[in-house]
Amino acid sequence: MNTSEIINACEKFLSDHDLESFKLLYHHYYKSLCFFASEYTKEESLSEDIVQDVFTQVWEKGLELGGASKLQGYLYAMVRNKCLNQIRSLGHLQKYQAHETPIEDWESDESIRIVKAEVYREIMASIEQLPARAREVFELSYLTQLREQEIADRLGISVNSVKTHKKRARSILKDELKHLFDLLIILRL
């Protein structure tokens, strides 16, 4: 989805509490918000629960944003606050402080976390646009981390076909995401 479609969906949701617009916003932001939350929680299922809670709250209470341009920042702020509250309430504070960054420093890292989450969203959107078989092979190889023979067995194709689909997917993604290359190096993603 392009920016104008997101803005239109947000405006329609804000003005009409439109379910279809809400679904578009949900699908656009869900994965990147989960990735963002997991930077705080380090637990995938907890991150997904937090993002679900945020979207449930947005649906039930609506938004008092003053415009569609503030939606992205609002969602990230809600997720961050819920993550920090969840960590504090579950008594995981020492675990997270020992694991990576002290909780006081998280706010200073927030912009980097948001950029990482948006890069992740863009990468996942590009993966979803791959041709069906190339996407399937790419996901099994890089996201599920199956070996080429396992992929071939699962899909009922030859190992050479697996290699061809992987090469095709990498080539397409390289072209689609070349504008992110410098950013990926800087952020060490």
Side-chain angles (χ1 to χ4, degrees):
M1 265 196 300
N2 64 37
T3 305
S4 64
E5 290 174 318
I6 293 299
I7 291 171
N8 289 340
C10 184
E11 292 294 342
K12 188 154 176 70
F13 172 67
L14 291 173
S15 64
D16 303 336
H17 203 69
D18 179 64
L19 179 59
E20 291 305 313
S21 298
F22 178 79
K23 286 179 183 178
L24 287 173
L25 295 171
Y26 177 88
H27 289 294
H28 182 74
Y29 286 110
Y30 179 78
K31 289 180 183 177
S32 59
L33 289 171
C34 286
F35 179 82
F36 178 72
S38 70
E39 290 281 303
Y40 287 97
T41 66
K42 309 297 184 212
E43 295 178 26
E44 185 177 343
S45 63
L46 179 57
S47 298
E48 290 172 352
D49 289 345
I50 288 169
V51 173
Q52 288 288 343
D53 287 348
V54 165
F55 276 107
T56 300
Q57 184 176 345
V58 166
W59 175 254
E60 289 175 351
K61 295 184 180 179
L63 297 172
E64 308 268 333
L65 295 177
S69 63
K70 298 180 182 178
L71 174 68
Q72 182 174 314
Y74 182 78
L75 290 172
Y76 279 109
M78 286 182 69
V79 169
R80 180 201 61 226
N81 292 340
K82 283 192 175 288
C83 286
L84 295 176
N85 289 340
Q86 189 71 24
I87 289 167
R88 287 182 183 117
S89 72
L90 293 175
H92 288 106
L93 185 58
Q94 289 100 8
K95 174 183 168 185
Y96 291 100
Q97 285 179 330
H99 182 70
E100 190 177 271
T101 306
I103 200 164
E104 304 85 44
D105 294 339
W106 282 351
E107 280 87 22
S108 65
D109 292 339
E110 182 177 342
S111 60
I112 292 172
R113 293 174 196 273
I114 290 172
V115 169
K116 283 182 178 181
E118 285 300 302
V119 167
Y120 175 80
R121 183 187 52 74
E122 193 162 340
I123 291 169
M124 295 308 293
S126 293
I127 290 170
E128 289 175 14
Q129 297 303 314
L130 289 170
R133 185 59 77 161
R135 180 182 67 243
E136 192 173 17
V137 168
F138 185 86
E139 288 174 346
L140 289 171
S141 179
Y142 294 103
L143 302 180
T144 310
Q145 297 185 342
L146 295 179
R147 293 183 314 223
E148 289 172 348
Q149 184 62 55
E150 293 171 317
I151 297 168
D153 293 343
R154 183 178 281 194
L155 300 178
I157 60 176
S158 71
V159 173
N160 283 337
S161 292
V162 170
K163 290 178 183 179
T164 301
H165 287 300
K166 280 175 61 174
K167 184 176 178 181
R168 182 177 183 204
R170 283 194 312 262
S171 175
I172 292 169
L173 290 174
K174 183 179 176 184
D175 289 342
E176 285 284 318
L177 300 170
K178 64 184 169 199
H179 64 283
L180 295 177
F181 184 72
D182 292 336
L183 189 59
L184 294 171
I185 290 172
I186 292 168
L187 295 175
R188 296 184 194 132
L189 292 176

